[in-house]
Every structure is written in C-alpha cells, then in structure tokens.
Coordinates of all heavy atoms in Angstrom, one line a residue:
Y1 N 110.2 202.9 -38.5 CA 109.5 201.9 -37.8 C 108.3 201.2 -38.7 O 107.8 202.0 -39.6 CB 108.9 202.4 -36.5 CG 109.9 202.7 -35.4 CD1 110.4 203.9 -35.2 CD2 110.2 201.7 -34.6 CE1 111.3 204.1 -34.3 CE2 111.2 201.8 -33.6 CZ 111.8 203.1 -33.4 OH 112.7 203.3 -32.5
G2 N 108.2 200.0 -38.6 CA 107.2 199.3 -39.4 C 107.7 198.6 -40.5 O 107.1 197.8 -41.3
S3 N 109.0 198.8 -40.8 CA 109.6 198.1 -41.9 C 110.0 196.6 -41.5 O 110.3 196.4 -40.4 CB 111.0 198.8 -42.4 OG 110.7 200.0 -43.0
D4 N 110.1 195.8 -42.5 CA 110.5 194.3 -42.3 C 112.0 194.3 -42.0 O 112.7 194.4 -43.0 CB 110.0 193.5 -43.4 CG 110.4 192.0 -43.3 OD1 111.3 191.6 -42.5 OD2 109.9 191.3 -44.1
V5 N 112.4 194.2 -40.7 CA 113.8 194.2 -40.5 C 114.6 193.1 -41.1 O 115.8 193.2 -41.5 CB 114.1 194.3 -39.0 CG1 113.5 195.5 -38.3 CG2 113.5 193.1 -38.2
E6 N 114.0 191.9 -41.3 CA 114.7 190.8 -41.9 C 114.9 191.2 -43.4 O 115.9 190.8 -44.0 CB 113.9 189.4 -41.8 CG 114.0 189.0 -40.4 CD 115.4 188.7 -39.9 OE1 116.3 188.2 -40.7 OE2 115.7 188.9 -38.7
L7 N 114.0 191.8 -44.0 CA 114.1 192.2 -45.5 C 115.2 193.2 -45.6 O 116.0 193.3 -46.5 CB 112.7 192.8 -46.0 CG 112.8 193.3 -47.4 CD1 113.3 192.2 -48.5 CD2 111.4 193.8 -47.8
V8 N 115.2 194.2 -44.7 CA 116.3 195.2 -44.6 C 117.6 194.5 -44.6 O 118.6 194.8 -45.3 CB 116.1 196.2 -43.4 CG1 117.3 197.1 -43.3 CG2 114.9 197.2 -43.6
K9 N 117.8 193.6 -43.6 CA 119.1 192.9 -43.4 C 119.4 192.1 -44.8 O 120.6 192.2 -45.3 CB 118.9 191.9 -42.4 CG 120.1 191.0 -42.1 CD 119.9 190.0 -40.9 CE 121.1 189.2 -40.8 NZ 120.9 188.2 -39.7
T10 N 118.5 191.5 -45.4 CA 118.8 190.8 -46.7 C 119.2 191.7 -47.7 O 120.2 191.4 -48.5 CB 117.5 190.0 -47.1 OG1 117.1 189.0 -46.1 CG2 117.6 189.3 -48.4
I11 N 118.5 192.8 -47.9 CA 118.9 193.7 -48.9 C 120.3 194.3 -48.7 O 121.1 194.4 -49.7 CB 117.8 194.9 -48.9 CG1 116.6 194.5 -49.5 CG2 118.4 196.1 -49.8 CD1 115.4 195.4 -49.4
L12 N 120.6 194.6 -47.5 CA 121.9 195.1 -47.2 C 123.0 194.2 -47.5 O 124.1 194.5 -48.1 CB 122.0 195.7 -45.7 CG 121.1 196.9 -45.3 CD1 121.2 197.2 -43.9 CD2 121.5 198.1 -46.1
I13 N 122.8 192.9 -47.1 CA 123.8 191.8 -47.3 C 123.9 191.6 -48.8 O 125.0 191.6 -49.4 CB 123.4 190.5 -46.6 CG1 123.5 190.7 -45.1 CG2 124.3 189.3 -47.0 CD1 124.8 190.7 -44.4
D14 N 122.7 191.6 -49.5 CA 122.8 191.2 -50.9 C 123.6 192.3 -51.8 O 124.3 192.1 -52.7 CB 121.4 191.1 -51.5 CG 120.7 189.8 -51.1 OD1 121.5 188.9 -50.5 OD2 119.6 189.7 -51.3
V15 N 123.3 193.6 -51.4 CA 123.9 194.7 -52.0 C 125.4 194.7 -51.8 O 126.3 194.9 -52.7 CB 123.3 196.1 -51.5 CG1 124.3 197.3 -52.0 CG2 121.9 196.4 -52.0
A16 N 125.9 194.3 -50.6 CA 127.3 194.3 -50.3 C 128.0 193.1 -51.0 O 129.1 193.3 -51.6 CB 127.5 194.2 -48.8
K17 N 127.3 192.0 -51.0 CA 127.8 190.8 -51.7 C 128.0 191.1 -53.2 O 128.9 190.5 -53.9 CB 127.0 189.6 -51.5 CG 127.2 189.1 -50.1 CD 126.4 187.8 -50.0 CE 126.7 187.1 -48.6 NZ 125.9 185.8 -48.5
A18 N 127.1 191.9 -53.8 CA 127.2 192.1 -55.2 C 128.2 193.1 -55.7 O 128.6 193.2 -56.9 CB 125.7 192.7 -55.7
H19 N 128.8 193.9 -54.7 CA 129.8 194.9 -55.1 C 131.1 194.2 -55.3 O 131.6 193.4 -54.5 CB 129.9 195.9 -54.0 CG 130.6 197.2 -54.4 ND1 132.0 197.2 -54.7 CD2 130.2 198.3 -54.7 CE1 132.4 198.4 -55.0 NE2 131.3 199.1 -55.1
S20 N 131.7 194.4 -56.5 CA 133.0 193.7 -56.8 C 134.2 194.1 -55.9 O 135.0 193.2 -56.0 CB 133.3 194.1 -58.3 OG 133.6 195.5 -58.4
K21 N 134.2 195.2 -55.3 CA 135.4 195.5 -54.4 C 135.2 195.0 -53.0 O 136.1 195.3 -52.2 CB 135.7 196.9 -54.7 CG 136.2 197.3 -56.0 CD 136.6 198.7 -56.1 CE 137.1 198.8 -57.6 NZ 137.4 200.3 -57.8
I22 N 134.2 194.4 -52.6 CA 133.9 194.0 -51.2 C 134.3 192.5 -51.2 O 133.8 191.7 -52.0 CB 132.5 194.2 -50.8 CG1 132.2 195.7 -50.7 CG2 132.2 193.4 -49.5 CD1 130.8 196.1 -50.3
L23 N 135.2 192.1 -50.3 CA 135.7 190.8 -50.2 C 134.5 189.8 -49.9 O 133.6 190.2 -49.0 CB 136.8 190.6 -49.2 CG 138.1 191.5 -49.4 CD1 139.1 191.4 -48.3 CD2 138.7 191.3 -50.8
K24 N 134.7 188.6 -50.4 CA 133.7 187.6 -50.1 C 133.9 186.9 -48.7 O 133.0 186.3 -48.1 CB 133.7 186.4 -51.2 CG 133.6 187.0 -52.5 CD 132.3 187.6 -52.8 CE 132.1 188.0 -54.2 NZ 131.1 189.1 -54.4
S25 N 135.1 187.0 -48.2 CA 135.5 186.4 -46.9 C 136.4 187.5 -46.1 O 137.3 187.9 -46.7 CB 136.2 185.1 -47.0 OG 136.5 184.6 -45.7
P26 N 136.0 187.9 -45.0 CA 134.8 187.5 -44.2 C 133.5 188.0 -44.9 O 133.6 189.1 -45.5 CB 134.9 188.0 -42.8 CG 135.9 189.1 -43.0 CD 136.8 188.9 -44.2
E27 N 132.4 187.3 -44.7 CA 131.2 187.8 -45.4 C 130.7 189.1 -44.8 O 130.8 189.3 -43.5 CB 130.2 186.7 -45.3 CG 130.3 185.5 -46.2 CD 129.1 184.6 -46.2 OE1 128.1 185.0 -45.6 OE2 129.3 183.6 -46.9
P28 N 130.1 189.9 -45.6 CA 129.4 191.1 -45.0 C 128.4 190.7 -43.9 O 127.8 189.6 -44.0 CB 128.7 191.8 -46.2 CG 129.4 191.2 -47.4 CD 129.8 189.9 -47.0
K29 N 128.2 191.6 -43.0 CA 127.2 191.3 -42.0 C 126.4 192.6 -41.6 O 126.9 193.7 -41.8 CB 127.7 190.5 -40.7 CG 128.7 191.3 -39.9 CD 129.0 190.6 -38.6 CE 130.4 190.0 -38.7 NZ 130.8 189.4 -37.4
V30 N 125.3 192.4 -41.1 CA 124.5 193.5 -40.7 C 124.2 193.5 -39.1 O 123.8 192.5 -38.6 CB 123.1 193.5 -41.4 CG1 122.1 194.6 -40.8 CG2 123.4 193.8 -42.9
L31 N 124.4 194.6 -38.4 CA 124.0 194.8 -37.1 C 122.8 195.6 -37.0 O 122.7 196.7 -37.5 CB 125.2 195.3 -36.3 CG 126.5 194.6 -36.3 CD1 127.5 195.5 -35.5 CD2 126.4 193.2 -35.7
F32 N 121.9 195.2 -36.1 CA 120.7 196.1 -35.7 C 121.2 196.8 -34.5 O 121.1 196.2 -33.4 CB 119.5 195.2 -35.5 CG 118.2 195.8 -35.3 CD1 117.0 195.0 -35.3 CD2 118.1 197.1 -35.1 CE1 115.8 195.7 -35.0 CE2 116.9 197.8 -34.8 CZ 115.8 197.0 -34.8
T33 N 121.6 198.0 -34.7 CA 122.4 198.8 -33.5 C 121.4 199.4 -32.5 O 121.9 199.5 -31.4 CB 123.3 199.8 -34.2 OG1 122.6 200.7 -34.9 CG2 124.3 199.1 -35.0
D34 N 120.2 199.9 -32.9 CA 119.4 200.6 -31.9 C 118.0 201.0 -32.5 O 117.8 200.8 -33.6 CB 120.1 201.9 -31.6 CG 119.8 202.4 -30.2 OD1 118.9 201.9 -29.5 OD2 120.5 203.4 -29.8
F35 N 117.2 201.3 -31.5 CA 115.9 201.9 -31.8 C 116.0 203.4 -31.7 O 116.1 203.9 -30.6 CB 114.8 201.4 -30.8 CG 114.6 199.9 -31.0 CD1 115.2 199.0 -30.2 CD2 113.6 199.4 -31.8 CE1 115.0 197.7 -30.3 CE2 113.4 198.1 -32.1 CZ 114.0 197.1 -31.2
G36 N 116.1 204.1 -32.8 CA 116.3 205.6 -32.7 C 114.9 206.3 -32.5 O 113.8 205.7 -32.4
D37 N 115.0 207.6 -32.4 CA 113.8 208.5 -32.2 C 112.8 208.3 -33.4 O 111.6 208.2 -33.2 CB 114.1 209.9 -32.1 CG 114.8 210.2 -30.9 OD1 114.7 209.5 -29.8 OD2 115.6 211.3 -30.8
S38 N 113.3 208.3 -34.6 CA 112.5 208.2 -35.8 C 112.8 207.0 -36.8 O 112.3 206.9 -37.8 CB 112.7 209.4 -36.6 OG 112.4 210.6 -35.8
A39 N 113.7 206.1 -36.3 CA 114.2 205.1 -37.2 C 114.7 203.8 -36.4 O 115.2 204.0 -35.3 CB 115.2 205.7 -38.1
L40 N 114.8 202.8 -37.1 CA 115.6 201.6 -36.7 C 116.8 201.8 -37.2 O 117.1 202.0 -38.4 CB 114.9 200.3 -37.2 CG 113.4 200.1 -36.8 CD1 112.8 198.9 -37.4 CD2 113.2 200.0 -35.3
L41 N 117.9 201.6 -36.5 CA 119.3 201.8 -36.9 C 120.0 200.6 -37.2 O 120.1 199.6 -36.3 CB 120.0 202.7 -35.9 CG 119.3 203.9 -35.4 CD1 120.1 204.7 -34.3 CD2 119.1 204.9 -36.6
F42 N 120.7 200.5 -38.4 CA 121.4 199.3 -38.8 C 122.8 199.8 -39.1 O 123.1 200.9 -39.5 CB 120.7 198.6 -40.1 CG 119.4 198.1 -39.7 CD1 118.3 198.9 -39.9 CD2 119.2 196.8 -39.4 CE1 117.1 198.4 -39.6 CE2 118.0 196.3 -39.2 CZ 116.8 197.1 -39.3
K43 N 123.8 198.9 -39.1 CA 125.1 199.1 -39.6 C 125.6 197.9 -40.5 O 125.4 196.7 -40.1 CB 126.1 199.1 -38.3 CG 127.5 199.6 -38.8 CD 128.4 199.8 -37.5 CE 128.0 201.2 -37.0 NZ 129.0 201.7 -36.0
L44 N 126.0 198.3 -41.7 CA 126.6 197.2 -42.6 C 128.0 197.2 -42.5 O 128.7 198.1 -42.6 CB 126.1 197.6 -44.0 CG 126.6 196.8 -45.2 CD1 126.2 195.3 -45.1 CD2 126.2 197.3 -46.5
L45 N 128.5 195.9 -42.2 CA 130.0 195.7 -42.0 C 130.5 194.9 -43.2 O 129.9 193.9 -43.6 CB 130.3 195.0 -40.7 CG 129.7 195.7 -39.4 CD1 129.9 194.7 -38.3 CD2 130.3 197.0 -39.2
F46 N 131.6 195.3 -43.7 CA 132.2 194.6 -44.8 C 133.7 194.8 -44.8 O 134.2 195.8 -44.2 CB 131.6 195.0 -46.2 CG 131.6 196.5 -46.5 CD1 132.7 197.1 -47.1 CD2 130.6 197.3 -46.1 CE1 132.8 198.4 -47.4 CE2 130.7 198.6 -46.2 CZ 131.8 199.2 -47.0
T47 N 134.5 194.1 -45.7 CA 135.9 194.2 -45.7 C 136.3 194.4 -47.2 O 135.8 193.8 -48.1 CB 136.6 192.9 -45.2 OG1 136.1 192.6 -43.9 CG2 138.1 192.9 -45.2
I48 N 137.3 195.4 -47.3 CA 137.8 195.7 -48.6 C 139.3 195.5 -48.6 O 139.9 195.5 -47.5 CB 137.4 197.1 -49.1 CG1 137.9 198.1 -48.0 CG2 135.9 197.2 -49.3 CD1 137.7 199.6 -48.5
N49 N 140.0 195.4 -49.7 CA 141.4 195.2 -49.8 C 142.2 196.6 -49.8 O 143.2 196.7 -49.3 CB 141.9 194.6 -51.2 CG 141.8 193.0 -51.1 OD1 142.1 192.6 -49.9 ND2 141.6 192.4 -52.2
N50 N 141.6 197.7 -50.4 CA 142.2 199.0 -50.5 C 141.5 199.9 -49.8 O 140.3 200.5 -50.3 CB 142.4 199.3 -52.0 CG 143.1 200.5 -52.3 OD1 143.4 201.3 -51.4 ND2 143.4 200.8 -53.5
S51 N 141.9 200.5 -48.7 CA 141.2 201.4 -47.8 C 141.1 202.8 -48.6 O 140.2 203.6 -48.2 CB 141.9 201.6 -46.5 OG 143.2 202.2 -46.6
Y52 N 141.8 203.0 -49.6 CA 141.7 204.3 -50.3 C 140.5 204.5 -51.2 O 140.1 205.5 -51.6 CB 143.0 204.6 -51.2 CG 144.2 204.8 -50.4 CD1 145.2 203.8 -50.3 CD2 144.5 206.0 -49.6 CE1 146.3 204.0 -49.6 CE2 145.6 206.2 -48.9 CZ 146.6 205.2 -48.9 OH 147.6 205.4 -48.2
T53 N 139.8 203.3 -51.4 CA 138.7 203.2 -52.2 C 137.4 203.3 -51.3 O 136.3 203.1 -51.9 CB 138.6 202.0 -53.1 OG1 138.7 200.8 -52.3 CG2 139.8 201.9 -54.0
H54 N 137.5 203.3 -50.1 CA 136.3 203.2 -49.2 C 135.3 204.3 -49.4 O 134.0 203.9 -49.4 CB 136.7 203.2 -47.7 CG 136.9 204.5 -47.2 ND1 138.1 205.1 -47.3 CD2 136.2 205.3 -46.4 CE1 138.1 206.4 -46.7 NE2 136.9 206.5 -46.1
L55 N 135.6 205.4 -49.8 CA 134.5 206.5 -50.1 C 133.7 206.1 -51.3 O 132.5 206.3 -51.3 CB 135.1 207.9 -50.1 CG 135.8 208.4 -48.9 CD1 136.5 209.7 -49.2 CD2 134.7 208.5 -47.8
Q56 N 134.4 205.7 -52.3 CA 133.6 205.4 -53.6 C 132.8 204.1 -53.3 O 131.6 204.1 -53.8 CB 134.6 205.1 -54.7 CG 133.9 204.7 -56.0 CD 133.0 205.9 -56.5 OE1 133.5 207.0 -56.6 NE2 131.9 205.7 -56.8
I57 N 133.3 203.2 -52.6 CA 132.5 202.0 -52.4 C 131.2 202.3 -51.5 O 130.2 201.8 -51.8 CB 133.4 200.9 -51.6 CG1 134.4 200.4 -52.6 CG2 132.5 199.7 -51.1 CD1 135.5 199.5 -52.0
K58 N 131.5 203.1 -50.4 CA 130.3 203.5 -49.6 C 129.2 204.3 -50.4 O 128.1 204.0 -50.3 CB 130.8 204.3 -48.4 CG 131.5 203.6 -47.4 CD 131.7 204.4 -46.2 CE 132.8 204.4 -45.3 NZ 132.9 205.3 -44.3
S59 N 129.8 205.2 -51.3 CA 128.8 205.8 -52.2 C 128.0 204.9 -53.0 O 126.8 204.9 -53.1 CB 129.6 206.9 -53.0 OG 128.7 207.6 -53.9
D60 N 128.8 204.0 -53.7 CA 128.1 202.9 -54.6 C 127.1 202.2 -53.8 O 125.9 201.9 -54.2 CB 129.1 201.9 -55.0 CG 130.1 202.5 -56.0 OD1 130.0 203.6 -56.4 OD2 131.2 201.8 -56.2
L61 N 127.4 201.8 -52.5 CA 126.5 201.0 -51.7 C 125.2 201.9 -51.3 O 124.1 201.3 -51.4 CB 127.1 200.6 -50.5 CG 128.2 199.5 -50.6 CD1 128.9 199.2 -49.2 CD2 127.7 198.2 -51.1
R62 N 125.4 203.2 -51.0 CA 124.3 204.0 -50.7 C 123.3 204.2 -51.9 O 122.1 204.1 -51.7 CB 124.8 205.4 -50.2 CG 125.4 205.2 -48.8 CD 125.9 206.6 -48.3 NE 126.6 206.4 -47.0 CZ 127.9 206.8 -46.8 NH1 128.5 207.2 -47.9 NH2 128.5 206.6 -45.7
F63 N 123.8 204.4 -53.0 CA 123.0 204.5 -54.2 C 122.2 203.2 -54.4 O 121.0 203.3 -54.7 CB 123.9 204.7 -55.5 CG 124.2 206.2 -55.7 CD1 125.5 206.6 -55.7 CD2 123.2 207.2 -56.0 CE1 125.7 208.0 -55.8 CE2 123.5 208.5 -56.2 CZ 124.8 208.9 -56.2
E64 N 122.9 202.1 -54.3 CA 122.2 200.8 -54.6 C 121.1 200.5 -53.4 O 120.0 199.9 -53.7 CB 123.2 199.6 -54.8 CG 122.6 198.3 -55.2 CD 122.0 198.4 -56.5 OE1 122.3 199.3 -57.4 OE2 121.1 197.5 -57.0
I65 N 121.5 200.8 -52.2 CA 120.7 200.5 -51.1 C 119.3 201.4 -51.3 O 118.2 200.9 -51.0 CB 121.3 200.8 -49.7 CG1 122.3 199.7 -49.5 CG2 120.3 200.9 -48.6 CD1 123.3 200.1 -48.4
D66 N 119.5 202.6 -51.6 CA 118.3 203.5 -51.8 C 117.5 202.9 -52.9 O 116.2 202.9 -52.7 CB 118.8 204.9 -52.2 CG 117.7 205.8 -52.4 OD1 116.9 206.1 -51.5 OD2 117.5 206.3 -53.6
K67 N 118.0 202.5 -54.0 CA 117.3 201.9 -55.1 C 116.5 200.6 -54.7 O 115.3 200.5 -54.9 CB 118.2 201.5 -56.2 CG 117.5 200.8 -57.4 CD 118.6 200.4 -58.4 CE 118.0 199.4 -59.5 NZ 119.0 198.9 -60.3
K68 N 117.2 199.8 -53.9 CA 116.5 198.6 -53.4 C 115.5 198.8 -52.4 O 114.4 198.1 -52.3 CB 117.6 197.5 -52.9 CG 118.6 197.1 -53.9 CD 117.8 196.2 -55.0 CE 118.9 195.7 -56.0 NZ 118.3 194.9 -57.0
F69 N 115.7 199.8 -51.5 CA 114.7 200.1 -50.6 C 113.4 200.7 -51.2 O 112.4 200.3 -50.9 CB 115.3 201.2 -49.6 CG 116.1 200.6 -48.4 CD1 116.5 199.2 -48.4 CD2 116.5 201.4 -47.4 CE1 117.2 198.8 -47.3 CE2 117.2 200.9 -46.3 CZ 117.6 199.6 -46.3
R70 N 113.7 201.5 -52.2 CA 112.5 202.0 -52.9 C 111.7 201.0 -53.6 O 110.5 200.9 -53.6 CB 112.9 203.2 -53.9 CG 113.4 204.4 -53.4 CD 114.0 205.4 -54.4 NE 114.6 206.5 -53.9 CZ 114.0 207.7 -53.6 NH1 112.7 207.8 -53.7 NH2 114.8 208.6 -53.1
E71 N 112.5 200.0 -54.2 CA 111.7 198.9 -54.9 C 110.9 198.0 -53.9 O 110.0 197.4 -54.3 CB 112.8 198.0 -55.6 CG 113.4 198.7 -56.9 CD 114.5 197.9 -57.4 OE1 114.9 196.8 -56.9 OE2 115.2 198.3 -58.4
N72 N 111.4 198.0 -52.6 CA 110.7 197.2 -51.8 C 109.9 197.9 -50.6 O 109.6 197.4 -49.6 CB 111.8 196.3 -51.0 CG 112.3 195.2 -51.8 OD1 111.8 194.2 -51.9 ND2 113.5 195.5 -52.5
N73 N 109.6 199.3 -51.0 CA 108.8 200.0 -50.1 C 109.3 200.2 -48.7 O 108.4 200.2 -47.7 CB 107.3 199.5 -50.2 CG 106.7 199.6 -51.5 OD1 106.9 200.7 -52.2 ND2 106.1 198.5 -51.9
I74 N 110.6 200.3 -48.6 CA 111.2 200.6 -47.3 C 111.6 201.9 -47.3 O 112.4 202.4 -48.1 CB 112.5 199.6 -47.1 CG1 112.0 198.1 -47.0 CG2 113.2 200.0 -45.8 CD1 113.2 197.1 -47.0
T75 N 111.0 202.7 -46.3 CA 111.3 204.1 -46.3 C 112.4 204.4 -45.3 O 112.8 203.8 -44.4 CB 110.1 204.9 -45.8 OG1 109.7 204.5 -44.6 CG2 108.9 204.7 -46.8
I76 N 113.3 205.5 -45.7 CA 114.3 206.0 -44.8 C 113.7 207.3 -44.2 O 113.3 208.2 -44.9 CB 115.5 206.3 -45.6 CG1 116.1 205.1 -46.3 CG2 116.6 207.0 -44.9 CD1 117.3 205.3 -47.3
P77 N 113.5 207.3 -42.9 CA 112.9 208.3 -42.2 C 113.8 209.6 -42.1 O 115.1 209.6 -42.3 CB 112.6 207.8 -40.9 CG 113.7 207.0 -40.6 CD 114.0 206.3 -42.0
F78 N 113.1 210.7 -41.9 CA 113.8 211.9 -41.6 C 113.3 212.5 -40.2 O 112.1 212.2 -39.9 CB 113.7 213.0 -42.7 CG 112.2 213.3 -43.1 CD1 111.5 214.3 -42.5 CD2 111.6 212.5 -44.1 CE1 110.2 214.5 -42.8 CE2 110.3 212.7 -44.4 CZ 109.5 213.8 -43.8
P79 N 114.1 213.1 -39.5 CA 113.6 213.6 -38.2 C 112.4 214.6 -38.3 O 112.4 215.5 -39.3 CB 114.8 214.3 -37.6 CG 115.9 213.8 -38.4 CD 115.4 213.5 -39.7
Q80 N 111.5 214.5 -37.5 CA 110.4 215.3 -37.5 C 110.1 216.0 -36.1 O 110.3 215.2 -35.2 CB 109.0 214.6 -38.1 CG 109.1 214.1 -39.4 CD 107.9 213.4 -39.8 OE1 107.1 212.9 -38.9 NE2 107.7 213.2 -41.1
R81 N 109.8 217.1 -36.2 CA 109.5 217.8 -34.8 C 108.2 218.7 -35.0 O 108.0 219.2 -36.0 CB 110.7 218.8 -34.5 CG 112.0 218.2 -34.3 CD 112.2 217.4 -33.1 NE 113.6 216.8 -32.9 CZ 113.9 215.5 -33.1 NH1 112.9 214.7 -33.4 NH2 115.1 215.2 -32.9
D82 N 107.5 218.6 -33.9 CA 106.3 219.5 -33.9 C 106.5 220.7 -33.0 O 107.2 220.5 -32.0 CB 105.1 218.7 -33.2 CG 104.6 217.5 -34.0 OD1 104.7 217.6 -35.2 OD2 104.2 216.6 -33.4
V83 N 106.1 221.9 -33.6 CA 106.4 223.1 -32.9 C 105.0 223.6 -32.6 O 104.2 223.8 -33.5 CB 107.2 224.1 -33.8 CG1 107.3 225.4 -33.1 CG2 108.6 223.5 -34.1
H84 N 104.7 223.9 -31.3 CA 103.6 224.5 -30.9 C 103.7 225.9 -30.4 O 104.6 226.1 -29.6 CB 102.9 223.6 -29.8 CG 102.7 222.3 -30.1 ND1 101.5 221.8 -30.7 CD2 103.5 221.1 -29.9 CE1 101.6 220.5 -30.9 NE2 102.8 220.0 -30.4
L85 N 103.0 226.8 -31.1 CA 103.1 228.2 -30.7 C 102.0 228.7 -29.9 O 100.7 228.4 -30.2 CB 103.3 229.1 -32.0 CG 104.4 228.8 -33.0 CD1 104.3 229.6 -34.2 CD2 105.6 229.1 -32.2
I86 N 102.2 229.2 -28.8 CA 101.1 229.7 -27.9 C 101.1 231.2 -27.9 O 102.1 231.8 -27.6 CB 101.3 229.2 -26.5 CG1 101.3 227.6 -26.5 CG2 100.3 229.7 -25.6 CD1 101.7 227.0 -25.2
K87 N 100.0 231.8 -28.3 CA 99.9 233.3 -28.4 C 99.3 233.7 -27.1 O 98.2 233.2 -26.7 CB 99.0 233.6 -29.6 CG 99.0 235.1 -29.8 CD 98.2 235.3 -31.1 CE 98.2 236.9 -31.3 NZ 97.4 237.1 -32.6
T88 N 100.0 234.6 -26.4 CA 99.4 235.1 -25.1 C 99.0 236.6 -25.2 O 99.4 237.3 -26.0 CB 100.5 234.9 -24.0 OG1 101.7 235.6 -24.3 CG2 100.8 233.5 -23.8

C-alpha cells in the first residue's frame, strides 16, 4: 500500500514489452486484481508463441520487475503478523 499504482502498471507493461519472446500483439496488459491484506495485487497478462518456454519467461520477468521496482522505490510486501503473549 502507498505505491503509485500507475507507475507499477507502467513498469510491468514496459518489462513485458521489452522481453524478446513476448508477442507484440496482443499487447501485454495489467489487471489490478484486488486489495490484499498486506499488498495491492496485480496480474500481468501476455502472449507467447511457445508454451514450453513460459517458466523461463516468467523467471526473466520476475528478475527484471524486481530490479525496476527497486530502482523506483516500489516495495514488495511480505505478510506480517503480530503475536501477543499473555502471561497468566
């Protein structure tokens, strides 16, 4: 929460468009899918020619997204829980 959602969308689209194995048409798109407990949830949609390469492509995208998010001060949250102990 607190991240610029339009910047997140732009970064995701730009990263997908820059990948050589992602088709230009139909263009990649981003869905803002939900407000999670600790995060805003997005889904990046894209098309490829060879479904056998999807794992490598997704990995490539995750590395580049992480890099671009760090460069733009967009944090990826992790679940946090508070535990309260009561001594009786």
Side-chain angles (χ1 to χ4, degrees):
Y1 285 98
S3 293
D4 180 344
V5 295
E6 289 300 324
L7 179 57
V8 169
K9 179 180 178 181
T10 298
I11 290 170
L12 294 175
I13 295 283
D14 289 349
V15 166
K17 284 182 173 181
H19 196 287
S20 63
K21 293 187 179 173
I22 292 179
L23 299 179
K24 304 297 180 206
S25 180
E27 287 193 7
K29 66 172 105 175
V30 172
L31 301 178
F32 186 169
T33 60
D34 207 351
F35 294 94
D37 290 339
S38 303
L40 304 176
L41 305 177
F42 296 86
K43 185 174 280 195
L44 174 60
L45 305 174
F46 56 88
T47 306
I48 58 175
N49 273 332
N50 182 349
S51 63
Y52 292 109
T53 62
H54 79 281
L55 293 176
Q56 183 61 54
I57 292 169
K58 287 192 215 178
S59 177
D60 295 345
L61 293 173
R62 289 181 185 119
F63 276 112
E64 190 62 20
I65 289 166
D66 180 65
K67 177 183 169 191
K68 295 295 183 185
F69 278 10
R70 289 174 191 272
E71 289 173 0
N72 288 278
N73 297 313
I74 297 170
T75 58
I76 298 174
F78 53 91
Q80 296 179 340
R81 302 286 184 250
D82 291 331
V83 177
H84 301 274
L85 301 174
I86 300 172
K87 188 173 181 179
T88 58

